[in-house]
Amino acid sequence: DKEAPPAKRAKAEEEEEEEEDDDDDEDDDDEEGDEDDEELGSDEDDSEEFDMEDFEDVEDMTEEKLTTFTEAYKKFCEERDTESGEDRVCLVFGTPTDIRPVPQTAEEFKAKTPYVFLDAAGQDFMETFGEKYMMAFAANMPEEEDDEEEPAEDVDVSKGYEAQLKVWTETLAEVKSMDPKERWQAGIALVHQVLEDNPGNLFESGEKGKECSAVVTKLAEMWSELLKLDDKKMGLYDGAREQLKKMLKSLVDRLEDKEFAKGAYAGKFKVAGL
């Protein structure tokens, strides 16, 4: 066989090298794809962890009871997930480790834990209100100096709380004018924000006590009016009324707690029919 001329031979070798590079790139892409698949398909354990420190006030608490408690709570959550679906999600209130006596079965959790189901519209309202409520606080906070390593302890947050109060007043008026089928779900979003534990919680701060007390009273009045209506008028699903009452009772307990805003709302949230 005749040997190819140098120019043609060089070109052939160059094309062969390009093909090898392409093959290597494809292999790299495949490997990256495999890594992406692994990452997308990873099943991260997001189950809640509990330990003995959560039950320091329980004299007879043991590791065995802790394990049973954890398994029971996991089952309770799985059951609520099963009851949820594309058209509704479960919203659970309260902290499981606060329940006394300490639950040891999923049924005990179900009996003692406030939870309700929200449809898509209810979820959207809660998300929108929550974001608007927290942004009102953040947008009215004093700007920090770039050279400040730590935020000042005497930052004036009054404007942030004033903005939140305005959002609350406007939203509560909006909710009270809604159709009952929408109102009870929007009302859940309001209750959730009072119970939410975060640094920008207007109610927990104890600021604007007089104004917030008036809001709490109006919120109670709204729920009192709602609970007078029958299930059909409210568009409730089976079991919703009892779940709502349990949720509202948890809010009563929260507001009656002397450690919550130093008891500023004790006796202010009175809902008829509980």
Side-chain angles (χ1 to χ4, degrees):
D1 295 338
K2 290 184 178 180
E3 187 175 352
K8 289 187 177 181
R9 187 167 64 246
K11 184 176 181 181
E13 290 174 354
E14 183 179 340
E15 290 176 349
E16 185 176 346
E17 288 177 359
E18 288 179 355
E19 288 179 2
E20 290 178 356
D21 289 341
D22 289 341
D23 290 340
D24 290 340
D25 290 341
E26 288 178 4
D27 291 339
D28 291 340
D29 290 340
D30 289 341
E31 290 177 4
E32 289 176 3
D34 291 340
E35 290 176 1
D36 290 341
D37 289 342
E38 288 177 7
E39 185 176 347
L40 290 172
S42 63
D43 186 15
E44 187 176 350
D45 182 13
D46 59 355
S47 59
E48 193 159 358
E49 297 292 334
F50 307 106
D51 55 46
M52 292 295 289
E53 292 181 0
D54 294 320
F55 305 94
E56 291 180 335
D57 63 312
V58 182
E59 294 182 1
D60 61 345
M61 193 63 183
T62 63
E63 290 289 348
E64 183 179 356
K65 287 184 178 180
L66 175 62
T67 299
T68 304
F69 170 90
T70 303
E71 292 175 351
Y73 184 69
K74 182 179 180 180
K75 183 179 180 182
F76 163 76
C77 292
E78 289 173 348
E79 290 174 350
R80 303 293 77 74
D81 287 341
T82 300
E83 293 176 354
S84 301
E86 294 182 359
D87 58 340
R88 69 175 192 172
V89 296
C90 183
L91 182 63
V92 178
F93 293 85
T95 305
T97 52
D98 288 343
I99 302 174
R100 298 291 181 271
V102 178
Q104 295 289 280
T105 66
E107 283 301 313
E108 288 181 272
F109 273 112
K110 184 177 180 180
K112 298 177 180 179
T113 304
Y115 67 91
V116 292
F117 292 95
L118 293 177
D119 64 18
Q123 296 170 54
D124 288 343
F125 182 90
M126 186 172 75
E127 183 177 342
T128 301
F129 171 63
E131 184 176 346
K132 187 177 180 181
Y133 176 65
M134 294 309 299
M135 285 301 297
F137 182 79
N140 287 275
M141 288 290 289
E143 293 185 7
E144 295 181 10
E145 297 294 336
D146 294 337
D147 57 349
E148 287 186 2
E149 295 182 0
E150 295 182 0
E153 295 182 0
D154 58 347
V155 173
D156 182 10
V157 297
S158 60
K159 289 185 178 180
Y161 288 131
E162 286 176 8
Q164 281 190 325
L165 182 62
K166 185 174 185 292
V167 170
W168 252 99
T169 304
E170 293 174 350
T171 305
L172 183 56
E174 175 190 344
V175 172
K176 290 177 71 174
S177 66
M178 289 180 176
D179 181 272
K181 294 179 181 179
E182 299 175 337
R183 196 188 317 159
W184 69 267
Q185 294 203 78
I188 289 172
L190 301 181
V191 170
H192 181 263
Q193 274 303 333
V194 179
L195 291 172
E196 188 74 359
D197 185 15
N198 57 61
N201 189 322
L202 168 64
F203 294 87
E204 189 172 11
S205 71
E207 300 288 335
K208 306 294 178 184
K210 183 178 179 180
E211 295 89 341
C212 286
S213 292
V215 170
V216 166
T217 300
K218 289 179 180 178
L219 183 61
E221 291 172 353
M222 185 197 78
W223 276 106
S224 294
E225 291 299 318
L226 268 174
L227 293 180
K228 290 178 182 178
L229 305 176
D230 59 34
D231 290 6
K232 185 177 181 180
K233 183 74 173 179
M234 290 177 67
L236 298 180
Y237 57 84
D238 290 343
R241 184 173 293 272
E242 289 307 310
Q243 291 169 0
L244 289 173
K245 286 183 178 181
K246 197 181 298 183
M247 174 197 72
L248 293 170
K249 287 176 182 177
S250 71
L251 180 54
V252 171
D253 292 341
R254 176 78 155 166
L255 296 176
E256 292 293 326
D257 187 346
K258 298 298 182 182
E259 294 184 4
F260 185 79
K262 298 179 180 179
Y265 312 112
K268 302 296 183 181
F269 190 74
K270 297 180 179 180
V271 179
L274 290 186

